[in-house]
Amino acid sequence: MYFASDNAGPVHPSVMAALEAANQNYAMPYGADRINEEVVKRIRAMFDAPEAAVYLVATGTAANSIALATLSNPWETVFCSPMAHIQEDECNAPEFYMGGGKLTLVPAIDAKMTPDALRKSIAAEEVRGVHGPQRGPVSITQVTERGTVYSVGEIKALTAVAKEYDLPVHLDGARFTNALVSLGCSPAEMTWKAGVDAVSFGGTKNGLMGVEAVIFFDPKHAWEFELRRKRGAHLFSKHRYLSAQMMAYLANDLWVELATSANTNAARLASGLRQCPDVRFDFHPDANIVFASFPRSAHKRLHDAGAIYYVWEGMLEGDDPDEMLTARMVCDWSISDDYIDRFVALVKG
């Protein structure tokens, strides 16, 4: 019963097969392989963006950080929510790759920025002339770190505010496809048609071994990103192993299939937990992440049975069996119904 992270799930067998196939013979390095050429074509077609610049890197941290560095200057600040992935989980990597930039945290509701809060935060910068940070990109985490999803309308409202100040917008899509499946929209509708300038299109959390795509809808950013990727030590020599993963991901809509499975698993988990009288949901589970609180006694039953997940607030150790502790539970594509049902049964006691 492993609900700690979709990062911990297995690689899909078709991806492993693609890596084995790519391992035969020779291929040009540094992204000049034929598989990568096809990947770029397919991603452009998926996003209905024939001029987009598309690049592969091995980690989400690299994708987000190098993309933001490309969109900003070292004296600028990135606007994001306090729960944004780049704020909570990147160990200051965006600031590092930006060469001294910073993050400005925008108040959020259910881990999502609001247009009014974003406008106030942007307006509060560039008021001290040379003595303060200048306004930089807006970064949206989709799915949010609390499992909520911005609607297309919410994204449009945020990008409209950014455009008032002529600021670019970055979408951190480590769980891009989980959000897409939840919304039932197209990649274009959730990105450039909604005003997004660059996106990290995630694969690692959705059944790949380790690859993310960075997409700039304006190709003017291409050369700078290439230079920053190389300078930042994220240009793979044996790039074909990134390309092969992404190619398998895109083939026959595997990317959608795996995200649909993960979201369906989370929906089953949430549905089961709703039948437990002592469970309270902290956020609405829009995709494949569930935050719910239940008594310490239930947490102890789960841990004794070998369940693995994060206790988000409070300590498992304690004397009060009725104290409510928050669990963060993430479903990947591979979790079985039996594991989910057993987990729920243990919560019920």
Side-chain angles (χ1 to χ4, degrees), residues 51-64:
E51 301 301 320
V54 180
Y55 298 102
L56 302 182
V57 293
T59 72
T61 300
N64 290 328

Side-chain angles (χ1 to χ4, degrees), residues 107-128:
I109 299 173
D110 291 335
K112 296 189 286 186
M113 293 182 289
T114 66
D116 287 345
L118 178 60
R119 184 178 286 106
K120 289 177 182 177
S121 295
I122 294 174
E125 299 294 359
E126 289 195 15
V127 295
R128 301 191 303 281

